Each structure stands twice: as structure tokens, then as C-alpha cells.
Amino acid sequence: MADTAKKKTAANKKTAVKKNLVIVESPSKAKTIGKFLGSRYKVVASVGHVRDLPKSKLGIDIEQDFEPQYINIRGKGDVIKMLKKEAKDANKVFLATDPDREGEAISWHLAYILGIDKDSQCRIEFNEITKDAVKEAIKKPRAINLKLVDAQQARRVLDRLVGYEISPLLWRKIRRGLSAGRVQSAALKIICDRENEIKAFVPEEYWTITAMFRKDKPFTAKLMQADGKKIEIPNETEANRILTEVRAGKFITGKVTENERRRNPLPPFTTSSLQQEASNRINFNTRKTMMIAQQLYEGVDIKTDTVRSTAGLITYIRTDSVRISEEAKDAAAAFITAHYGPEYHRRNTYSNKNKEVQDAHEAIRPARIDLRPDDIRDSLTNDQYKLYSLIWSRFMASQMSPAVYDAVTADINNGKYLFRATGSKMKFDGFLKVYSQNKEDDRLLPQLTEGEELAADDVRGEQSFTQPPARFTEASLVKILEEKDIGRPSTYAPIVATLLARKYISREKKTLVPTELGFIVTDMMEEYFKEIVDTAFTSNMEDRLDQIEIRDTDWKDIIREFYSGFEKELKYADEKIEKVEFEDQMTDEICDKCGKHMVIKHGRFGSFLACSGYPDCKNTKPIVVSTGVKCPLCGKDIVERRSKKGRVFYGCSGYPDCTQLYWDKPVNEKCPKCGSLLVEKKSKTVKYACSNNECDYKVNR
């Protein structure tokens, strides 16, 4: 009887210690949330998707109404095993993946693997990773939103059909390793079309005429009209004729207009506007912007004199909305009034141009208004500080008063010609106090009276030529993709990365330039797959895909309709496209087996050197990138290499005779303590460190 009582007590204790399990995507997010929920909860990470379409085949059963054939992702066995064990031991499982389509789909796949009823109250979501937001979300679990899941499935299946059906065709007809994509191909065509515009552009000459005056202070006026109509000066002959007439005439002050001009702040960031502004202001590419933003969202350890906490610093980073919650507006109002004065605050409201589906989340803003960038600078890396400063200041500015200028416009008449002078002076800086935005310098005009005659110091003409449209930068490409409703902000960074990786475009300084290969692929796609590269079709498809989550549109209806025409295009293209032959690019590298020059070839895993004497000589070499540093053991160059898993390391070019290698990039400088080479470190506190593991020398400079 006593033994039975003991067993019962032990069983009760075991039941009592059962915890609630919270599953998120990333370990860093798990770490942050784990600190908020206490001992009754265990937070673990799925490390992204655990179930997806197979990589080795199409993975869509076209005959069975496009049914996706999902499998557990290779390499995720240990993670899945851990999740199953933790779920089995848990009192309740909460799926806390990101609050968007992709996150909803991950939760749906997790529910399948763990045997959780998708209709149960298992899903929680939060827009910011703060203690209050997470604890509030735990109180309000819901069922998995199958509309969101279906919207993600539709995109995944559509992209798989386009990518896996067209890409093998490109391999056979052009080159191995190429790819096509529903959004990728449309973006590439936009870049190629712009380059064609630039090549076809014919500059046109035009002239401008400016008069220089001095009355108390120098100022200028520009010729605007002749006989009450806008003037255009096409050549030097016409410019000289006008200059002769104007110099012979008199300048008489006409109407002088004084008014107050206001400059309003911009709304807080959406995903795409953040990518654009980060590119323009702090020189981040789209991929880097999203990576750093993800870190700020998932959580940072903050240590200041008054704060010791771990929390997400910004709200969810994938949003098309400029909406701000009333709570955030209240917090901004209190902060602005306290730190800058009540005259600097204005409760601004912004509306979305886009569809209702994209208003699920707020704009990107700081999760805590009181954490000013400079106050927590020591807790952030340099890149995190730059991006957080941008987000914080843009949000604060959005809730501030306009900048106010006193503006003056003076018309100056000379016979039938009208010149115009403008001036302005800042009266109140408003939102520019925290967010400089091409701040205007004061351009003051002297006191001018209507009817007074002015003496011109000089009147001159200047020749100019019209300029071709500019090549796209990442920022301007993101802008046009958004304007044309192609893809979604979360896809912009991967699009650019893929186009660069496939060698369809190259980056020259900050501009994106299509390569010969990019033009060849685009021309082929345009001839045989017009809809895939057509921006109007791509935009319309995005609208239709959005309808899945707004209304009860069957996602398979969209796939069926698309594939009926696409299948015919595939068959026709395969029959009609002829094999494209590329001329090999000759190099100065000499083949060490036969003495002939080596050429650059392109394979599935990138470019490499091959002997021009092929097939008589089949010698190949990797293309090496020298670091400019000599090996300390043998004196040969240390070059960049890649491991079998793709990780970059640095090894002696004399391999296999010399096996010297470094995992960090070596520099031409020796350690002052032991004499070994120093290596670069990507750290907030350390720039260089000794390559010798037994030496502790580090320096930040």
C-alpha cells in the first residue's frame, strides 16, 4: 500500500513539472522569448522550415491536381526528433513562428509533423518581441489560418513550376547552372530594358540663361518664359540671339510673392522603403539590411546605466503598411514633448496605398521609443547601430511637426522675357530636428520692390545635354518593383542575390548592369514565355495570389489556369530554341600540362579555368583570388578558397606541398607579440587578431 502511494506521488510530481512548449524559428528569437516567459515555459527553435518540397525533383503531382509532395527537409532529422520529444513531454504546444504567410506555413508544417490538430488553439503571434507583447500573445492563442497557408502554398507551387520546368530548358539550350523564376525573370527584364533605353538614347542639346544681380547681396534669376510661354533654347545660335536682346534691355522687378512653405515628414518605414533608404543613406545592400533588421527584431542584450534587458528593438520587419498603433503614437507624443517641446509634436496619420492584405502589421518602428540609439550604442554592433538609428529617427520624425520655410519668388521682366528668382529661409526645423532629409540651405533674396530697375552684373548662357535614364541601383530597382507590384518586399533581397549569382547582372559601383548572358536569357524568355517576364501579368498574378488570403479563392484554381497555357509554351520552346554557343574568354594563364592558354568556362558550381586545347588536354584549375599576402612557411601567395560545404577560407597556393591555411582573411602585418600573421576579425570590439591560437593578441583600429 505504501509503495502504491509513493508511485502515485511520483506520478503527480512528474505531471506537475510538465511545461508549455513554445516553438519559434530561430535560436536567437528563442533565447529572447525564453527570458520573458519564466520556468513554466520552454522555448525551442525549428531553425526555419522543417518540411518543404524536395530539391531533387519537381515535387508537385500535376496529375493529382497539383498536390504538393512535401518531405521532411534533409539534415533536419535531429531537430525534428528534438521537437517531437519536447512536444510529447509538454503540457501544451504553442506555435510562435513569424506573423506572416511564411510563418503561418511553418506552423502548419510543424503541426503536421507533431500531430497537432491545426484547428486547435495552438498558434500565437506578436508584432514585436517584447515582454508585454509575448505575454499578451500567450493569452490569445488561435487556430492556424489556412487562408494564409494556402496563399503561401500557391506561391511556392507556382514558383516551383516555373523554376523547375524552365531552368532545365536553360541548361540544355544555354548553359548549366542557370535558372528562371516568376519574379526573378520579370526583374531581370526590367534591368535589361533600362540598359537598352540607355544604349538607344540620343542626347539633345539645350541651353539655359541666367542673370546675376547684386542688391545688398548677390542673387541669380533664371530665364523662364518668352511672350508668356515656357521657353526652350535648343542651340547656341538661339541662345546668343536671346542674350543680345536681353543685354540690350532693362531688368524691371515684377510681382514679388512671399508665402510660407511647409515640408511634411515621411511616413515610417515599410520593408521596401527601409531597403531603399538603407541603400541610399548607409550604403547597405538589400540582403544586409534584412539580415541586420532581423537581428534587431529577434532581440539584443541591452546594458546601460538604467536598463538591463534582452528584447527585440524593432517591430516585425516584413510589412507593407505605414499604419502606427495608437499606443505607439501616445509613446512618441510623450517622448517628443518631453525632449523637444510640444511645438515639435504632431499626431500624424498615414494611409496605405496598397491592398488590405498588406495591412496586417504596423510599419517598422522601434519597439521601445525610450531606447534612443546613442543610449544603447555600446550594446550594438556598428551596423546594428546604423540601421536602428535610421528606423528610430524615421519613426520619431513621422510624429513630428512639418519644417516651415519663409519663401520668396520674384519675377523680373526684360521686354518679352521673364526671369524668376527664388529664395527661402528656414523658420522652424520641425521633424528635421531628428531626421535630416536633404536639408535646404538658406537662399535669401534682398528686399525687392515691384517696378524697380535692377542692374545685371552678368547674363550668361550655359550649354547642357539631356541625360539617358540612370541604371538601376538596388534601391531604385526595389522602388520600381514595388511600384509595378512585382513580388513582395521579403523577396527583393533574394531576387538581386540570385541575379548576381547566376551572372545575369554585375554590380558596377552601386549600379546593376545586365551581362551578355542576362540579355540572352531575357530575349529567350521574352520570345517563348512572354507572360513570365511581362510586368503587367506578374503584377496581376500577385493580386490574384493575394485574393487567396483576403477571400475564399481556391489556390488550385489559379495554378490550373496558369499551367494550361504554360505547359504548351514549354513544349513549343523545347522544340524551337536552338543551342546557344558562347565564345570562351581567353586568359593569360598558361596550362601547366601542354603550354596553351587557359580559358574561362562556366559550370554548375561557378566559373573555372580550362585548357584551350580541349579535348586533347583536359586540364582544369579553379579561379583563384589572391589576398596579396605571402605564406609565412614557403613564401607563395595565400589565396581565397572554398571548402566542400562552401565556406570561404584562405590557403597557400602551394598546396598540397604547403598546407598552411587560415579561416579568417590574413593581412600583411605581423603580430607584435609572437610574429605570426594577423587576420581580420568581423567584430564590434576586435578588428585584427593573431592567427596563432596560442597567442591572445587582439586590436581594434
Side-chain angles (χ1 to χ4, degrees), residues 141-153:
R142 60 168 174 79
I144 291 172
N145 186 334
L146 294 181
K147 288 183 181 180
L148 285 176
V149 174
D150 285 348
Q152 190 273 345
Q153 283 198 100

Side-chain angles (χ1 to χ4, degrees), residues 260-471:
E260 189 178 82
R261 184 166 58 84
R262 291 173 175 261
R263 188 174 180 183
N264 291 316
L266 293 169
F269 285 127
T270 61
T271 307
S272 63
S273 62
L274 175 62
Q275 291 173 350
Q276 293 171 53
E277 198 76 342
S279 175
N280 292 329
R281 284 183 175 250
I282 55 179
N283 205 28
F284 282 10
N285 61 39
T286 50
R287 173 169 279 189
K288 182 174 183 177
T289 297
M290 296 307 288
M291 179 186 73
I292 301 299
Q294 187 75 26
Q295 294 169 5
L296 295 174
Y297 166 68
E298 290 185 347
V300 176
D301 291 328
I302 301 300
K303 295 178 182 178
T304 68
D305 292 339
T306 56
V307 178
R308 291 283 189 280
S309 68
T310 300
L313 292 181
I314 60 175
T315 53
Y316 191 54
I317 62 174
R318 293 176 182 87
T319 176
D320 288 349
S321 176
V322 292
R323 177 176 57 81
I324 305 169
S325 70
E326 292 304 313
E327 293 80 5
K329 287 182 181 180
D330 291 342
F335 187 93
I336 293 165
T337 302
H339 289 83
Y340 304 111
E343 69 276 15
Y344 278 92
H345 174 253
R346 191 174 77 170
R347 200 177 184 90
N348 296 314
T349 299
Y350 301 94
S351 59
N352 293 331
K353 298 175 184 176
N354 296 338
K355 301 171 284 295
E356 57 184 296
V357 64
Q358 296 162 339
D359 194 40
H361 310 296
E362 286 186 67
I364 300 170
R365 61 167 176 81
R368 283 183 53 179
I369 311 301
D370 60 315
L371 289 180
R372 292 180 292 190
D374 286 344
D375 293 341
I376 59 173
R377 183 164 193 166
D378 290 342
S379 301
L380 305 176
T381 66
N382 192 42
D383 286 341
Q384 287 173 343
Y385 170 76
K386 286 179 181 178
L387 195 64
Y388 181 63
S389 297
L390 195 63
I391 294 167
W392 188 91
S393 57
R394 174 72 167 245
F395 169 72
M396 295 305 297
S398 75
Q399 293 301 296
M400 295 178 75
S401 304
V404 182
Y405 296 85
D406 284 331
V408 179
T409 302
D411 289 347
I412 301 171
N413 299 303
N414 185 310
K416 67 178 182 180
Y417 298 106
L418 182 143
F419 287 74
R420 182 162 290 152
T422 59
S424 66
K425 181 181 181 181
M426 182 181 283
K427 187 177 180 181
F428 176 62
D429 56 358
F431 75 93
L432 295 175
K433 189 88 169 175
V434 299
Y435 194 74
S436 61
Q437 186 184 316
N438 298 324
K439 191 173 180 180
E440 299 175 16
D441 295 326
D442 288 345
R443 292 178 289 110
L444 303 177
L445 292 181
Q447 188 69 39
L448 298 174
T449 305
E450 188 171 350
E452 72 174 303
E453 184 176 344
L454 298 171
D457 290 345
D458 190 16
V459 185
R460 65 180 69 157
E462 183 179 353
Q463 182 189 41
S464 299
F465 291 90
T466 55
Q467 297 297 308
R471 283 172 170 160

Side-chain angles (χ1 to χ4, degrees), residues 519-618:
F519 276 115
I520 289 171
V521 171
T522 295
D523 289 345
M524 192 207 80
M525 292 290 294
E526 196 169 11
E527 183 171 356
Y528 296 100
F529 301 98
K530 280 190 181 297
E531 287 187 335
I532 301 297
V533 294
D534 181 64
T535 54
F537 173 83
T538 307
S539 173
N540 181 59
M541 181 59 75
E542 286 293 346
D543 289 341
R544 295 196 63 196
L545 291 170
D546 285 342
Q547 294 305 311
I548 297 168
E549 59 189 279
I550 299 173
R551 298 179 177 87
D552 289 323
T553 303
D554 185 343
W555 71 270
K556 287 188 177 180
D557 285 345
I558 296 173
I559 304 298
R560 287 186 212 104
E561 183 182 329
F562 166 79
Y563 196 76
S564 62
F566 180 61
E567 187 177 28
K568 295 172 187 174
E569 290 176 339
L570 274 170
K571 186 177 180 182
Y572 179 76
D574 202 14
E575 293 171 353
K576 294 293 183 181
I577 299 173
E578 295 183 359
K579 174 80 174 167
V580 177
E581 298 293 341
F582 286 90
E583 286 188 16
D584 294 326
Q585 184 180 340
M586 196 69 69
T587 71
D588 294 330
E589 186 85 13
I590 301 298
C591 176
D592 53 11
K593 291 189 177 180
C594 73
K596 292 184 179 179
H597 281 275
M598 303 198 84
V599 296
I600 296 176
K601 294 275 189 182
H602 304 278
R604 182 180 179 184
F605 300 105
S607 303
F608 62 95
L609 292 173
C611 182
S612 59
Y614 181 87
D616 297 328
C617 179
K618 298 180 180 179

Side-chain angles (χ1 to χ4, degrees), residues 98-218:
D98 283 346
D100 59 9
R101 285 187 294 254
E102 202 73 20
E104 204 73 16
I106 293 174
S107 283
W108 182 68
H109 286 301
L110 284 168
Y112 176 87
I113 284 175
L114 301 178
I116 300 170
D117 182 358
K118 63 181 183 299
D119 295 322
S120 66
Q121 307 295 298
C122 62
R123 177 79 168 107
I124 62 171
E125 62 176 346
F126 30 80
N127 193 49
E128 57 191 58
I129 304 178
T130 58
K131 190 172 185 177
D132 289 345
V134 172
K135 287 199 164 187
E136 190 64 26
I138 286 283
K139 297 175 186 175
K140 299 176 181 177
R142 60 168 174 79
I144 291 172
N145 186 334
L146 294 181
K147 288 183 181 180
L148 285 176
V149 174
D150 285 348
Q152 190 273 345
Q153 283 198 100
R155 283 177 166 81
R156 189 76 183 95
V157 169
L158 192 59
D159 289 341
R160 175 57 69 100
L161 288 170
V162 172
Y164 271 52
E165 299 275 46
I166 298 180
S167 296
L169 185 66
L170 296 177
W171 287 33
R172 292 194 301 274
K173 304 294 185 178
I174 302 178
R175 177 189 293 167
R176 286 182 67 83
L178 303 184
S179 67
R182 179 177 61 89
V183 178
Q184 166 197 319
S185 298
L188 177 59
K189 185 177 184 300
I190 288 172
I191 297 171
C192 289
D193 285 349
R194 175 61 59 87
E195 193 69 17
N196 286 330
E197 285 181 58
I198 294 169
K199 289 176 180 177
F201 182 81
V202 179
E204 292 184 7
E205 180 183 7
Y206 69 95
W207 285 70
T208 54
I209 292 177
T210 306
M212 276 65 74
F213 302 97
R214 180 180 296 275
K215 183 189 177 185
D216 300 329
K217 63 182 69 178

